[in-house]
Amino acid sequence: MLTFDNRFVRELPGDTQHGNVPRQVFGACWSPVTPTPVAAPTLLAHSREVAAALDLDDEAMATPQLLAALAGNALLPGMVAYATCYGGHQFGQWAGQLGDGRAIMLGEAINRDGQRFELQLKGAGPTPYARRADGRAVLRSSLREFLCSEAMHHLGVPTTRALSLVGTGETVVRDMFYDGHPVAEPGAVVCRVAPSFTRFGHFELLAARGERELLHRLVDFTIARDFPGLAARALAPEQRLRAWFTEVCERTARLMAHWLRVGFVHGVMNTDNMSVVGLTIDYGPYGWVDNFDPGWTPNTTDASSRRYCFARQPAIARWNLERLANALAPLLPTPDDLGSGIERYDALYSDEFCTAFAGKLGFLGWTHDDGELLDDLFELMRLAETDMTSFFRQLAQLDINRPDPDVVHHAFYRAELRDRYSPELSRWLARYAARLRQDGQPAAQRVAAMNQVNPRFVLRNYLAQEAIDRAEQGDTGMLHELLEVLRHPYDEQPGRDAFSAKRPDWARHKAGCSMLSCSS
């Protein structure tokens, strides 16, 4: 059914102690674990595209053997269950050992084309890194992760994927807002899929502990397995390390530009949630910007400092890359040998951001004056409480010879603010139309190009919450419909207007729709 080649456990040292007992793990990159079986696993949903990439058809997905594996009740031939060891900086502070507390790897599957995919269960029970937690996950957070993984992929954003969402038939007790009101919620397990789940924190922990030889081994392994093009180049070890770090910086820069392009806020950009292969990883209290606010964060834990708010994400990514550089520094002759990688991040992020927003605005290219035009738009959108996704999608329909504010009439949350800022919007649209006329691009060509980068459909938090509410009552219909809609985010999809509607008033302050916690 699946073919495995488990290089991580074969080529890197593992924990000599067995069992899922919480402990500090030294001199190892992984620990053997045993998933905790669940009472009544049910396949609630799966991604056809991810299944196909793993050479699994609908018949395979329906087998009891695969369901048991995706629930953590059994292992298929070739699977190896383990959890990996890493640390991280959380909200700017070193947190020491963290590790896969409730994520259990099932091994590395190789498809018919030779592509490698790590399979990982989230919510399949505790591991040595679970600390005092139970290793389980609730349906609420699992459904959000499943949907968002696939939504981001179809938006063109680099991301881990999700093969399946399995209900466990059991409940999990969670205090959603850490306010002393725990509730028993339905449990679930997500099977996450990615070429690599290696994080910045894997390298940070080894460096913090002074395990230099193992740090070197992990770097060499990561380059050989996950960066084969770089591994094939004839470079001295130190040159290869610098080239690898630069590529990590480049992938991260592109990822940040994508996040801002689609209005995505991760919510918990700790270094243990940063992928070295440049993927969006760990979907917790994430959200899409509704009314445009550069300082918005969906994470209640971050509400006061807004460290991980929408506009700060590129700067936080840079800070995280600096932490990775510090971890790798012991492997190089001088500590500042990786500074060029950070400089490359700065330059490439700037280029990628300009390219992304030139596309969103329908420009053929980015000019020096476009920055002021965009800054003025952002400030106007913030003041007027403008829906980011709706505004950019509707902007494509502007008649540049007779710019009319009515083209974005439905993008505003409050009619009084729309009316108050209507004169400013008219002036901005006149400047914008003049800029478009300079390009001389045919209207149909411009509209088509803009609609390819400005989605009509994103996974708004209120939609995810509606799907959760129904799924908790046993109705997965909206989950499946959302999954189908999000497969084609740039298409018009007539008849599905409800899935592109901006956040309704009832969801402005509703739990799960505006702010979320890390409790899952």
Side-chain angles (χ1 to χ4, degrees), residues 283-364:
Y283 291 99
Y286 66 81
W288 264 267
V289 173
D290 289 317
N291 53 293
F292 185 80
D293 179 0
W296 180 71
T297 176
N299 187 356
T300 54
T301 310
D302 196 27
S304 58
S305 68
R306 300 182 183 271
R307 174 181 176 85
Y308 297 143
C309 69
F310 177 60
R312 291 195 68 189
Q313 292 179 123
I316 292 297
R318 187 187 196 278
W319 190 90
N320 290 343
L321 286 165
E322 289 173 341
R323 304 289 77 72
L324 177 59
N326 289 344
L328 300 174
L331 304 181
L332 293 169
T334 57
D336 60 353
D337 271 356
L338 298 176
S340 60
I342 301 296
E343 293 173 0
R344 176 60 179 154
Y345 171 85
D346 292 339
L348 184 60
Y349 170 73
S350 178
D351 289 345
E352 292 288 328
F353 176 88
C354 292
T355 298
F357 277 85
K360 287 182 75 66
L361 291 167
F363 300 158
L364 292 177

Side-chain angles (χ1 to χ4, degrees), residues 250-269:
E250 290 174 343
R251 294 189 186 197
T252 305
R254 295 187 182 98
L255 182 65
M256 291 303 104
H258 273 298
W259 284 7
L260 267 64
R261 174 180 66 84
V262 299
F264 176 78
V265 188
H266 183 278
V268 199
M269 288 182 66

Side-chain angles (χ1 to χ4, degrees), residues 13-287:
D15 186 3
T16 56
Q17 185 174 338
H18 289 247
N20 296 359
V21 180
R23 58 185 179 272
Q24 292 291 306
V25 175
F26 296 91
C29 292
W30 56 275
S31 299
V33 299
T34 303
T36 306
V38 299
T42 304
L43 182 63
L44 302 178
H46 78 277
S47 165
R48 297 193 304 264
E49 294 85 355
V50 178
L54 294 168
D55 303 324
L56 298 172
D57 56 20
D58 288 345
E59 182 179 351
M61 290 300 302
T63 61
Q65 295 86 351
L66 185 57
L67 175 59
L70 296 177
N73 284 14
L75 296 179
L76 296 175
M79 283 183 171
V80 177
Y82 60 98
T84 67
C85 184
Y86 54 81
H89 283 82
Q90 298 193 324
F91 294 93
Q93 303 298 316
W94 176 243
Q97 177 181 295
L98 298 167
D100 291 327
R102 57 173 175 169
I104 297 177
M105 308 293 292
L106 297 180
E108 304 168 40
I110 310 297
N111 70 9
R112 295 189 189 100
D113 296 327
Q115 295 173 305
R116 180 178 302 270
F117 298 97
E118 290 188 326
L119 274 58
Q120 183 184 80
L121 299 183
K122 185 174 181 179
T127 76
Y129 310 103
R131 299 183 289 283
R132 294 180 299 277
D134 58 15
R136 291 303 192 189
V138 296
L139 176 60
R140 162 174 51 86
S141 64
S142 302
L143 186 151
R144 282 172 50 83
E145 175 140 23
F146 173 79
L147 280 178
C148 197
S149 300
E150 294 309 286
M152 291 285 270
H153 168 75
H154 293 294
L155 284 166
V157 181
T159 180
T160 58
R161 304 292 301 277
L163 171 62
S164 59
L165 174 65
V166 172
T168 64
E170 302 175 349
T171 58
V172 179
V173 176
R174 288 291 182 268
D175 186 351
M176 183 175 178
F177 287 108
Y178 309 111
D179 59 0
H181 296 87
V183 174
E185 302 183 48
V189 178
V190 175
C191 181
R192 308 196 291 190
V193 179
S196 170
F197 283 97
T198 306
R199 307 152 185 267
F200 290 12
H202 281 99
F203 305 92
E204 286 185 282
L205 183 61
L206 297 177
R209 289 174 166 176
E211 297 184 43
R212 186 179 181 278
E213 182 180 346
L214 185 50
L215 174 64
H216 206 297
R217 284 185 65 181
L218 180 59
V219 169
D220 287 346
F221 170 84
T222 302
I223 294 173
R225 190 193 68 169
D226 301 330
F227 296 79
L230 178 58
R233 293 169 57 188
L235 297 172
E238 292 169 5
Q239 289 178 309
R240 182 175 290 110
L241 175 57
R242 282 190 285 269
W244 171 65
F245 179 72
T246 298
E247 185 166 342
V248 173
C249 290
E250 290 174 343
R251 294 189 186 197
T252 305
R254 295 187 182 98
L255 182 65
M256 291 303 104
H258 273 298
W259 284 7
L260 267 64
R261 174 180 66 84
V262 299
F264 176 78
V265 188
H266 183 278
V268 199
M269 288 182 66
N270 299 327
T271 58
D272 57 295
N273 293 337
M274 295 292 292
S275 159
V276 295
V277 294
L279 304 176
T280 314
I281 190 172
D282 286 343
Y283 291 99
Y286 66 81

Side-chain angles (χ1 to χ4, degrees), residues 155 261 360-361 381 387-398 407-408 411 432 446-457 460 488-493 500:
L155 284 166
R261 174 180 66 84
K360 287 182 75 66
L361 291 167
M381 291 173 68
D387 187 86
M388 181 179 178
T389 301
S390 298
F391 180 88
F392 279 103
R393 183 72 179 193
Q394 294 166 20
L395 187 63
Q397 301 303 320
L398 184 73
V407 75
V408 291
Y432 171 62
R446 172 177 56 82
V447 170
M450 291 178 71
N451 285 346
Q452 287 175 2
V453 295
N454 290 315
R456 186 179 184 214
F457 302 95
R460 297 178 184 270
H488 308 282
Y490 299 102
D491 295 350
E492 283 298 315
Q493 300 194 57
S500 67

